[in-house]
Amino acid sequence: MGNSIHYNTDNYALYRKLVFDLIDSQDPKGFVPDIAPEFVRFGGGFLDSPEWGSSAVILPWQLYNWYGDKDILEKAYPMMTKYVAYLESKSDNHILNYGTGDWFDYGPRQPGEAQLTPKALTATAIYYYDVLLLSKMSSILNKTADAALYTKQALAVKQAFNGKFLNATTNVYSTGSQTAMAMPLSVGLVDNSIKAAVLKNLTDSIALHNYALTAGDIGFHFLIDALDKGEQSRIIYAMNNRDDVPGYGYQLKKGATALTESWPALTNVSNNHLMLGHIMEWFYSGLAGIGQEEGSVGFKQLKIRPQPVGDITNASGTFHTPYGWISTNWKIQNNNFFLTVTIPTNSSANVYLPVKSGQAVYINGKKQSLYIDETAIIKCGSGKYLIEVK
């Protein structure tokens, strides 16, 4: 839920406080419990599940990525290294196989622990992501020896993961579930040479199953991320713009006024739960098109990539970055595309436009000389721009 919450709320102080809660809650063995502060001691997967304990690594990275807080990386570094060492000690040839898995995925049984995706897949994928992030954070902190060590470890986990879960003939991961296919795509476990094939298998499978949601609270974020990055917003739209199968519209039709723990809003589980709200991140990054480029910190280098889909003819969004407010507002009118975008001071943006062959691009009324294929990329400094595709 981190990305969805971040787009709506300045959560810097809250998340920084949570990092210290995680540090305080870390067990002497090295694991971080699923719940921190741990007022009640839970057991089983509720005590130690890699998909939840990995907050110990992911939260400090998010604070750095979103707000440029390098200090929190220093503060959290001992916790992060100890947690990754713990995961390594629990692995068997770099494969982890314990925890609750893709919590509350939508399968044939009462929701709870993962039904459609092996626990080993989600646990090992998040383990790889932890090690990969730790290699990046080590480098940022100029811990070059550690960075090299974690880069090597990440590669070993990646090779083990693909050796166990990837069918090299069909380019399908494990059971082929939404989570099984999306997590490797999202965290970087899929080699570039087969990335397009794996993404196509994912989207084809979703279409074959009538665009129904099945990914759970772990997998749904990665599904949204993989489809968004893969320029498949039409699939996200088709899966969520409906009320005939369990999902957001279905919950609303049943009278839900808050996020529910289960996709079908079952009455015997929580119906006021901070869970499964990951669509919000796509409202901003995909629909409104507000994000930052890979490698950017604190939204210094913005990525403006609005994605018109379905019968949506206009959308707008605002987001307060460390440099100030960014806003986008687009509409489609008479087959023309109009985008107004405001870039804050001391930042810049790459604006990705939906352009077809033969169309012309105008910025503040001036026609641009561009080589047009399927996407035009406009580089903008701070300021306000009216961009038209005619």
Side-chain angles (χ1 to χ4, degrees):
M1 288 288 290
N3 291 320
S4 292
I5 297 169
H6 172 241
Y7 273 120
N8 281 273
T9 308
D10 181 352
N11 55 10
Y12 173 69
L14 172 64
Y15 271 37
R16 190 175 166 92
K17 180 260 185 191
L18 290 177
V19 171
F20 290 105
D21 286 341
L22 295 169
I23 292 171
D24 292 342
S25 300
Q26 187 169 35
D27 189 88
K29 296 177 182 177
F31 74 83
V32 173
D34 293 7
I35 299 166
E38 197 178 24
F39 296 114
V40 177
R41 188 77 167 178
F42 284 79
F46 297 103
L47 174 64
D48 174 20
S49 187
E51 299 86 357
W52 303 90
S54 290
S55 298
V57 178
I58 297 171
L59 272 183
W61 171 255
Q62 288 179 330
L63 281 167
Y64 174 75
N65 190 40
W66 295 339
Y67 300 104
D69 186 354
K70 188 175 176 180
D71 175 71
I72 200 64
L73 302 186
E74 289 275 12
K75 296 282 198 307
Y77 196 77
M79 170 185 65
M80 294 190 290
T81 55
K82 190 175 180 181
Y83 182 67
V84 166
Y86 170 77
L87 293 181
E88 183 181 19
S89 74
K90 294 278 288 185
S91 69
D92 180 9
N93 292 320
H94 305 294
I95 301 296
L96 282 179
N97 190 14
Y98 73 97
T100 56
D102 189 20
W103 184 250
F104 264 62
D105 59 348
Y106 187 60
R109 303 188 302 275
Q110 171 75 14
E113 295 192 7
Q115 300 183 46
L116 307 178
T117 308
K119 292 179 182 180
L121 187 143
T122 55
T124 307
I126 208 77
Y127 170 39
Y128 168 79
Y129 189 49
D130 288 343
V131 180
L132 183 67
L133 292 183
L134 194 49
S135 72
K136 293 180 179 181
M137 289 184 276
S138 297
S139 182
I140 291 164
L141 296 174
N142 296 318
K143 300 178 185 292
T144 53
D146 283 4
L149 176 69
Y150 291 123
T151 299
K152 183 179 179 180
Q153 184 178 346
L155 179 60
V157 177
K158 180 177 181 177
Q159 290 172 339
F161 182 92
N162 285 315
K164 182 173 180 63
F165 298 111
L166 174 64
N167 184 321
T169 302
T170 62
N171 293 317
V172 172
Y173 279 91
S174 187
T175 59
S177 70
Q178 292 172 9
T179 296
M181 299 295 285
M183 280 193 80
L185 281 167
S186 177
V187 303
L189 281 159
V190 183
D191 288 334
N192 289 333
S193 60
I194 63 168
K195 192 174 290 184
V198 173
L199 179 63
K200 185 176 187 304
N201 282 334
L202 171 61
T203 57
D204 286 351
S205 175
I206 292 171
L208 182 65
H209 292 89
N210 193 29
Y211 300 95
L213 291 167
T214 61
D217 192 38
I218 297 299
F220 190 52
H221 155 71
F222 295 102
L223 178 65
I224 292 291
D225 184 66
L227 292 174
D228 186 8
K229 288 177 178 174
E231 311 236 338
Q232 298 297 320
S233 281
R234 63 182 182 83
I235 301 291
I236 298 174
Y237 176 82
M239 297 178 81
N240 292 282
N241 184 43
R242 60 193 303 187
D243 63 9
D244 59 318
V245 296
Y248 297 115
Y250 191 89
Q251 293 167 0
L252 289 169
K253 195 160 71 170
K254 288 187 71 173
T257 56
L259 286 170
T260 65
E261 187 177 17
S262 64
W263 282 124
L266 299 174
T267 57
N268 62 334
V269 296
S270 173
N271 282 282
N272 183 5
H273 217 79
L274 185 60
M275 186 160 147
L276 296 172
H278 311 86
I279 190 67
M280 183 61 71
E281 61 187 276
W282 175 75
F283 287 164
Y284 282 85
S285 66
L287 205 54
I290 298 174
Q292 66 175 329
E293 290 285 8
E294 185 74 24
S296 170
V297 176
F299 289 80
K300 175 75 171 175
Q301 179 66 47
L302 296 163
K303 184 176 185 178
I304 308 302
R305 187 176 57 102
Q307 299 172 63
V309 288
D311 57 359
I312 299 176
T313 57
N314 64 89
S316 62
T318 59
F319 172 59
H320 193 263
T321 76
Y323 295 94
W325 285 100
I326 175 176
S327 67
T328 63
N329 190 322
W330 64 262
K331 66 179 180 180
I332 297 174
Q333 192 173 59
N334 299 324
N335 292 321
N336 297 323
F337 178 81
F338 302 89
L339 169 67
T340 301
V341 57
T342 301
I343 310 300
T345 303
N346 293 324
S347 61
S348 58
N350 293 328
V351 181
Y352 297 74
L353 297 173
V355 176
K356 296 178 181 178
S357 180
Q359 292 181 320
V361 175
Y362 295 78
I363 300 179
N364 294 334
K366 184 178 180 180
K367 188 175 181 179
Q368 304 298 299
S369 299
L370 299 166
Y371 174 76
I372 300 302
D373 187 4
E374 293 181 354
T375 304
I377 302 176
I378 310 295
K379 296 184 181 298
C380 300
S382 58
K384 186 173 183 178
Y385 301 86
L386 171 60
I387 302 173
E388 303 165 83
V389 179
K390 295 184 177 181

